[in-house]
């Protein structure tokens, strides 16, 4: 099933943080924070992207690895925030 | 001046300020001076009952918490040295540190203890344990002590006051051979630094200090020990919230922090994404930063938004803690692009600038900054060969620590940082030996050759690029390499970029040619 939010976030992460990588390597469950792909600065950039693109505002506790570690988690968080 | 033990003043402060808040852990709780002294005393009694003696090392392997502060003080009161270990670092690295300095015991969070125990077993190390189930607010530590007391009460043990030259703590930093090295600091080292901070920043009991840096990072010495010397309040910022630049300004406002201290990287992020205009930061009177160069454009943005505090650039390796300082004159001019100087030498230390042969250079010439005095470390734990290289011994027998930093001195401003003489870089305030990253990469089964270079980057300060040659045909993906690094290296050591080559370029003597690597696109 194609998930529009996951696709958009994936495209952002591929372009910003994984240039040159085969897109098939980044799966919906690849660990992003605990897997060393997103460091703290990259996570901030991702949060800014999410806030701007989807008009959501993330709270402090929502920017930890528990909520942002995979594309599945990120898409779920955005959906929950949009209500 | 007679030297006292690092925790000596705290005992008096606690008696004088008993009911005042000592440490706040936002969202988890707070503790007053009497409570903190009581909890630290219980740790001391239990450690002694478990066999810890003056002169021992004790691992501190807890997330940042009131429990961690109390454990640190309890270890010192037992006369032992604390060895803070990064809860976020891979278990093999933590086990190496605990084994290397032969800790008698580890105060550890339960999950972390489970992770590191098999690694310690494999190294043949068998330390004692004080396991804390759920550290936070001091409650987890108190519960752990309650459980042990119920089984067998710990007899009261006297507070130990080690001499100035006894070890207070060991901070492990990146080592070029792939193994971290233990910077060993004495009570006199720590106390002389705390006293310099007291004279320079004049803290009072009304101050509220941030604790942004993790305890295994040398910035934590100022964060923790300066406020506790003055009856001030320490506000702990957890590892997670510390990285969250978008919400730090609200924390500074709600906790009414007056003295902020961190690496510049988080302040640069704060200036960019911190929504500073939404929060009242009038409580701030001091913003101190150290650990790397603060990009001027971000410092300008920060000071424009927050013009009221005083800003200090503090400089110094873990081996000396802060050794020079410079107050940034405000406003930061629009046309300025050059980073600010590292400034003049602190009053408890002396500085000189030498050439490769160890001779003083002419005033105004470039050279390596060397530091001597009461703040300079005892040495590297159990690595005398590193000590021999780290110190220049003067004709009068004075030990001068060679910082490895190339500086130039000019009238009026003191020293300006120019670069490094070796392969060490600063990233997010951390010291990173590029050789340690290479050693980590070589552990990957598919990696035949690895070389790492650091490139200047205006946004991130420094970008780390790894060049690799694969064993056989298949090249691991970028994601696989990042995941491998995340499992084997601290986060701040993971390269930003990976490039594969058939073979790395070599010099005529068959060594990796770093100059050619730097020229590659």
């Amino acid at each position: 099933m194609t998930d529009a939010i996951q696709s958009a976030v994936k495209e952002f992460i591929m372009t910003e943080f994984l240039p040159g990588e085969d897109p098939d390597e980044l799966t919906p469950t690849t660990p992003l924070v605990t897997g060393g792909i997103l460091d703290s600065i990259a996570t901030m950039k991702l949060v800014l992207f999410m806030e701007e693109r989807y008009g959501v505002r993330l709270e402090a506790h929502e920017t930890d690895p528990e909520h942002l570690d995979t594309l599945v988690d990120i898409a779920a968080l955005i959906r929950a925030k949009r209500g | 001046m007679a030297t006292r033990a690092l925790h000596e003043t705290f005992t008096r402060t606690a008696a004088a300020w008993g009911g005042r808040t000592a440490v706040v852990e936002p969202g988890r709780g707070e503790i007053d001076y009497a409570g903190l002294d009581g909890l630290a005393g219980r740790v001391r009694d239990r450690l002694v009952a478990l066999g810890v003696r003056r002169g021992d090392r004790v691992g501190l392997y807890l997330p940042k918490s009131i429990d961690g502060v109390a454990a640190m003080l309890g270890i010192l009161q037992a006369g032992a040295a604390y060895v803070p270990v990064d809860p976020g670092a891979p278990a093999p690295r933590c086990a190496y540190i605990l084994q290397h300095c032969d800790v008698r015991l580890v105060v550890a969070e339960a999950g972390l203890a489970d992770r590191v125990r098999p690694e310690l077993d494999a190294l043949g190390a068998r330390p004692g344990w004080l396991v804390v189930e759920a550290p936070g607010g001091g409650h987890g530590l108190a519960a752990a002590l309650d459980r042990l007391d119920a089984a067998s009460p710990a007899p009261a043990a006297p507070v130990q006051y080690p001499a100035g030259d006894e070890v207070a703590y060991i901070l492990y930093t990146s080592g070029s051979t792939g193994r971290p090295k233990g910077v060993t600091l004495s009570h006199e080292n720590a106390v002389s630094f705390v006293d310099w901070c007291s004279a320079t920043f004049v803290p009072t009991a009304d101050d509220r200090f941030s604790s942004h840096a993790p305890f295994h990072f040398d910035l934590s010495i100022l964060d923790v020990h300066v406020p506790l010397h003055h009856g001030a309040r320490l506000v702990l910022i957890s590892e997670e919230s510390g990285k969250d630049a978008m919400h730090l300004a609200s924390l500074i406002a709600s906790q009414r922090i007056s003295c902020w201290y961190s690496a510049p990287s988080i302040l640069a992020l704060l200036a960019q994404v911190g929504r500073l205009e939404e929060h009242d930061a009038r409580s701030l009177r001091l913003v101190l930063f150290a650990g790397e160069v603060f990009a001027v454009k971000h410092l300008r943005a920060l000071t424009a938004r927050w013009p009221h505090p005083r800003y200090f650039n503090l400089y110094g390796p873990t081996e000396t803690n802060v050794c020079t300082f410079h107050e940034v004159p405000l406003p930061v001019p629009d046309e300025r692009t050059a980073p600010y100087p590292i400034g003049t030498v602190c009053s408890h230390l002396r500085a000189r600038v030498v050439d490769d042969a160890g001779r003083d250079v002419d005033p105004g010439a470039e050279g390596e900054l060397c530091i001597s005095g009461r703040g300079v470390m005892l040495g590297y734990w159990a690595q005398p060969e590193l000590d021999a290289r780290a110190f220049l011994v003067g004709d009068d027998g004075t030990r001068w620590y060679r910082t490895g930093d190339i500086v130039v001195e000019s009238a009026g401003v003191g020293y300006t940082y120019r670069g490094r003489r070796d392969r060490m870089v600063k990233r997010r305030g951390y010291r990173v030996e590029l050789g340690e990253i290479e050693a980590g990469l070589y552990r990957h089964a598919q990696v035949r050759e690895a070389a790492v270079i650091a490139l200047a980057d205006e946004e991130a300060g420094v970008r780390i690029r790894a060049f690799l040659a694969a064993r056989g045909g298949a090249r691991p993906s970028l994601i696989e390499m990042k995941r491998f690094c995340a499992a084997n290296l601290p986060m701040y050591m993971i390269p930003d970029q990976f490039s594969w080559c058939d073979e790395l370029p070599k010099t005529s003597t068959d060594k990796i040619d770093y100059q050619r690597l730097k020229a590659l696109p």
Side-chain angles (χ1 to χ4, degrees), chain A residues 18-19 21 25-26 30-31 33-41 44 47-48 51 57-60 63, chain B residues 240 243-247 265 269 273 275 278 427-428 459-460 477-480 482-483 486 491 494 496:
Chain A
L18 295 169
E21 177 64 307
E25 294 282 341
L26 181 59
T30 302
V33 180
T34 57
I37 296 168
L38 299 181
D39 65 7
S40 53
I41 292 177
M44 282 301 119
V47 170
L48 279 179
E51 293 195 342
R57 176 93 177 230
L58 267 57
E59 302 301 325
T63 58
Chain B
E240 293 75 36
K243 292 176 192 159
D244 185 0
M246 287 169 148
H247 298 93
S265 46
L269 272 178
V273 302
R275 300 161 178 154
E278 295 177 17
R427 199 164 183 235
R428 319 277 145 78
E459 284 301 321
S477 71
L478 178 53
I479 290 174
E480 185 189 329
K482 291 227 173 201
R483 288 178 77 168
M491 282 296 261
I494 301 176
D496 300 288

Side-chain angles (χ1 to χ4, degrees), chain B residues 264-281:
Chain B
S265 46
I266 189 70
L267 288 169
L269 272 178
L270 200 57
Q272 294 170 78
V273 302
R275 300 161 178 154
L276 301 186
E277 65 287 356
E278 295 177 17
H279 303 285
D280 177 0

Side-chain angles (χ1 to χ4, degrees), chain B residues 142-156:
Chain B
L145 294 166
D146 288 345
R147 270 194 304 278
L148 291 165
D149 282 349
S152 160

Side-chain angles (χ1 to χ4, degrees), chain A residues 41 45, chain B residues 263-273 276 287 289 292-306 311 328 330 332-334 336-340 457-461:
Chain A
I41 292 177
K45 286 185 178 168
Chain B
S265 46
I266 189 70
L267 288 169
L269 272 178
L270 200 57
Q272 294 170 78
V273 302
L276 301 186
V287 175
F289 51 89
E292 62 196 333
V293 174
F294 200 151
V296 170
K297 72 171 190 182
H298 297 312
L299 179 59
R300 184 185 298 114
L302 181 70
T303 55
R305 188 59 78 176
W306 284 347
Y311 289 80
V328 176
L330 296 185
V332 174
D334 287 343
R336 186 179 179 111
T337 53
Y340 281 93
D457 182 287
E458 206 189 17
E459 284 301 321

Side-chain angles (χ1 to χ4, degrees), chain A:
Chain A
M1 190 180 77
T2 311
D3 179 315
I5 297 178
Q6 274 190 35
S7 301
V9 173
K10 176 171 173 172
E11 190 187 331
F12 175 77
I13 291 173
M14 290 300 301
T15 313
E16 288 285 320
F17 312 120
L18 295 169
E21 177 64 307
D22 175 359
D24 291 343
E25 294 282 341
L26 181 59
T27 71
T29 55
T30 302
L32 299 168
V33 180
T34 57
I37 296 168
L38 299 181
D39 65 7
S40 53
I41 292 177
T43 306
M44 282 301 119
K45 286 185 178 168
L46 173 66
V47 170
L48 279 179
F49 166 80
M50 289 161 64
E51 293 195 342
E52 280 166 21
R53 169 115 184 195
Y54 296 103
V56 294
R57 176 93 177 230
L58 267 57
E59 302 301 325
H61 68 276
E62 291 166 337
T63 58
D64 58 18
E66 201 182 313
H67 294 87
L68 298 176
D69 205 29
T70 66
L71 291 172
V72 172
D73 299 338
I74 294 168
L77 177 63
I78 293 173
R79 261 190 218 99
K81 298 294 286 187
R82 294 168 98 191

Side-chain angles (χ1 to χ4, degrees), chain B residues 432-499:
Chain B
V432 176
E433 290 280 2
L434 299 178
E436 185 170 1
I437 303 178
E438 289 168 356
L441 293 170
Y442 271 113
R443 280 182 224 138
H444 192 290
Q446 281 299 105
V447 169
R448 180 166 51 85
E449 288 185 305
V452 171
I453 60 169
L455 302 162
D457 182 287
E458 206 189 17
E459 284 301 321
V462 70
R463 233 164 6 97
I464 293 177
R465 184 170 180 194
F467 293 89
L468 301 162
R471 209 179 287 285
R475 291 173 173 177
S477 71
L478 178 53
I479 290 174
E480 185 189 329
M481 287 313 297
K482 291 227 173 201
R483 288 178 77 168
F484 177 79
C485 288
N488 287 281
L489 292 168
M491 282 296 261
Y492 54 86
M493 286 196 199
I494 301 176
D496 300 288
Q497 240 182 310
F498 291 83
S499 304

Side-chain angles (χ1 to χ4, degrees), chain B residues 148-431:
Chain B
L148 291 165
D149 282 349
S152 160
V159 179
Q160 297 286 326
Y161 295 104
D165 60 355
E166 290 181 55
V167 182
Y169 51 90
I170 305 177
L171 303 178
Y172 276 79
T173 67
S174 181
S176 57
T177 57
R179 292 293 192 188
K181 55 190 180 193
V183 181
T184 305
L185 293 129
S186 69
H187 284 268
E188 181 177 22
N189 294 156
V191 167
S192 63
F193 172 60
V194 169
D195 287 349
W196 175 79
C197 293
S198 299
T200 308
F201 304 121
V202 200
T204 73
D206 292 326
D207 271 315
R208 296 175 175 210
F209 280 74
S210 67
S211 162
H212 180 268
F215 289 160
H216 61 279
F217 196 5
D218 67 344
L219 273 68
S220 69
I221 306 307
L222 189 160
D223 296 340
V224 174
H225 297 291
V226 172
L228 295 184
H229 265 62
H230 294 276
R233 181 181 294 208
L234 172 62
V235 179
L236 299 178
I237 300 170
S238 68
E239 282 88 351
E240 293 75 36
S241 357
K243 292 176 192 159
D244 185 0
M246 287 169 148
H247 298 93
L248 273 182
S250 89
L251 186 73
I252 291 170
S254 63
Q255 293 294 331
R256 301 208 305 278
I257 286 171
S258 61
C259 300
W260 174 271
Y261 186 26
S262 72
S265 46
I266 189 70
L267 288 169
L269 272 178
L270 200 57
Q272 294 170 78
V273 302
R275 300 161 178 154
L276 301 186
E277 65 287 356
E278 295 177 17
H279 303 285
D280 177 0
R282 276 175 298 180
S283 58
L284 269 181
R285 68 176 189 90
L286 287 171
V287 175
L288 315 175
F289 51 89
E292 62 196 333
V293 174
F294 200 151
V296 170
K297 72 171 190 182
H298 297 312
L299 179 59
R300 184 185 298 114
L302 181 70
T303 55
R305 188 59 78 176
W306 284 347
H308 55 285
R310 296 171 71 189
Y311 289 80
F312 284 87
N313 182 18
L314 308 184
Y315 157 86
T318 307
E319 286 84 346
T320 65
N321 211 317
V322 175
C323 58
T324 72
F325 70 114
H326 176 76
E327 180 168 5
V328 176
L330 296 185
V332 174
D334 287 343
E335 65 282 5
R336 186 179 179 111
T337 53
Y340 281 93
I342 56 172
T344 49
V345 70
C346 301
S347 54
H348 63 304
L349 297 165
R350 288 191 301 150
R352 59 192 278 217
V353 182
V354 302
D355 63 15
D356 286 344
R359 290 174 306 228
D360 291 294
V361 300
D362 293 331
E366 274 191 4
E368 181 179 6
L369 182 66
C370 298
I371 300 291
S372 76
R374 301 175 65 209
V376 177
M377 68 162 178
L378 297 171
Y380 297 107
W381 186 265
Q383 289 189 288
E385 70 289 358
L386 290 183
D387 292 349
R389 269 182 276 148
F391 291 104
L392 183 71
V393 181
D395 294 337
D396 59 354
T398 304
R399 292 186 327 150
W400 293 87
Y401 172 69
R402 307 183 71 133
T403 63
D405 287 328
I406 303 299
V407 301
V408 65
E409 186 176 13
S410 41
V413 298
Y415 300 102
T416 298
Y417 174 79
R418 286 288 171 81
R420 287 288 301 174
R421 60 187 297 272
D422 55 19
R423 299 190 65 221
M424 199 261 283
V425 298
K426 288 295 194 82
R427 199 164 183 235
R428 319 277 145 78
Y430 284 94
R431 276 156 68 145

